[in-house]
Amino acid sequence: WSWFMLVSSRMAGFSVDFSVLLEPLGFVKILEWIFAIFAFATCGGFQGETTLLVSCEGVANKTVTAAFAYPFRLNTAEFSAPDPKACAGTWTDAHLMGNFSSSAQFFVTLAALVFLYCIAALVVYIGYDHVYQQNNKLPLTDLSISVLTAFLWLVSTLVWAKALADIKVSTGPSIIPGIESCKAPGTTCHFVSVSRMGILNVSVVFGLLNVALWGGNAWLVYKDTKLHNQWNRISESP
């Protein structure tokens, strides 16, 4: 809020200077903007499916699939019946287990908010660099947000990584014992495949990269504040 209040009060001082993007503070902000996009896209754009091979009375070697996608409410992903009139009426609706939407949405929502904040910060850096350098409130606000964002990236990435590990288990071969229809007499189920989740692994990597970027960004902003100079004077005093 203080960003917008300070900037709006000095609209007359708007002066475009793209050279700030070549400096560490501006360059890192561009990387944060790009990496937020990748984190959002690699997690939020995923779609996959789990496939089983079912054999039962009246049906032989029929594949059934359960499609799942972001935000990974797996308990809503349903396996279609091999044949509505076969399996001696023993096949009932079967779903995957687990709801990992909170972890996935936390990660993706943070990426979206960071994307928007980076745009706002770049506008300030490019158009109001002189205001940023002269008024200590802007760097202090930037520092606080950078530290908080680094912490949130760390938490959201760890939570999402744990959820991803559980998603892999909940869509893998271990799901068969939990499907009641596969336990019916004369019915056998075999796991066939599950969509590759390499892109989701990449999302975790981007999350960790964002932690490092925002931690480094916090240090760069700190060096631009009076706190850095004050701390140097204190450390150098006898």
Side-chain angles (χ1 to χ4, degrees), residues 17-29 129 133 224:
D17 181 10
F18 288 102
S19 64
V20 69
L21 300 181
L22 301 178
E23 299 175 3
L25 193 62
F27 183 71
V28 168
K29 191 62 65 182
D129 184 59
Q133 298 297 333
D224 280 348

Side-chain angles (χ1 to χ4, degrees), residues 2-238:
S2 59
W3 278 72
F4 296 108
M5 290 296 293
L6 287 169
V7 170
S8 60
S9 65
R10 303 195 178 203
M11 286 298 292
F14 183 80
S15 177
V16 176
D17 181 10
F18 288 102
S19 64
V20 69
L21 300 181
L22 301 178
E23 299 175 3
L25 193 62
F27 183 71
V28 168
K29 191 62 65 182
I30 293 177
L31 291 179
E32 291 169 346
W33 179 66
I34 294 174
F35 280 24
I37 295 174
F38 282 126
F40 178 93
T42 52
C43 179
F46 181 82
Q47 292 183 335
E49 63 180 23
T50 295
T51 304
L52 303 180
L53 186 66
V54 179
S55 178
C56 58
E57 184 178 344
V59 175
N61 299 332
K62 178 76 173 182
T63 57
V64 295
T65 61
F68 60 94
Y70 172 85
F72 304 102
R73 296 187 178 93
L74 300 186
N75 55 345
T76 64
E78 179 181 346
F79 287 103
S80 57
D83 189 325
K85 298 180 180 179
C87 287
T90 59
W91 187 273
T92 57
D93 292 342
H95 296 79
L96 295 175
M97 301 294 292
N99 184 345
F100 306 97
S101 59
S102 59
S103 300
Q105 288 175 327
F106 179 21
F107 185 82
V108 169
T109 300
L110 177 62
L113 292 176
V114 167
F115 168 80
L116 295 175
Y117 174 75
C118 286
I119 293 177
L122 285 171
V123 170
V124 173
Y125 291 169
I126 295 172
Y128 296 93
D129 184 59
H130 58 291
V131 178
Y132 184 94
Q133 298 297 333
Q134 295 173 5
N135 193 316
N136 201 44
K137 290 183 179 180
L138 283 175
L140 284 174
T141 301
D142 198 9
L143 174 62
S144 300
I145 294 177
S146 297
V147 172
L148 177 61
T149 304
F151 173 74
L152 290 177
W153 269 123
L154 177 61
V155 173
S156 66
T157 301
L158 293 178
V159 170
W160 166 233
K162 174 60 170 61
L164 177 56
D166 293 338
I167 289 171
K168 292 179 179 179
V169 172
S170 299
T171 57
S174 61
I175 64 177
I176 292 179
I179 300 177
E180 293 298 323
S181 297
C182 293
K183 301 177 183 178
T187 300
T188 58
C189 298
H190 298 282
F191 180 80
V192 177
S193 65
V194 62
S195 299
R196 295 182 180 274
M197 300 186 191
I199 193 69
L200 296 181
N201 295 334
V202 172
S203 71
V204 174
V205 173
F206 275 114
L208 295 175
L209 289 175
N210 274 301
V211 174
L213 274 176
W214 282 90
N217 183 80
W219 171 248
L220 291 174
V221 176
Y222 169 72
K223 292 178 65 176
D224 280 348
T225 65
K226 293 178 180 178
L227 290 176
H228 179 255
N229 295 329
Q230 292 173 356
W231 174 256
N232 285 341
R233 286 196 296 269
I234 294 175
S235 61
E236 292 172 0
S237 62

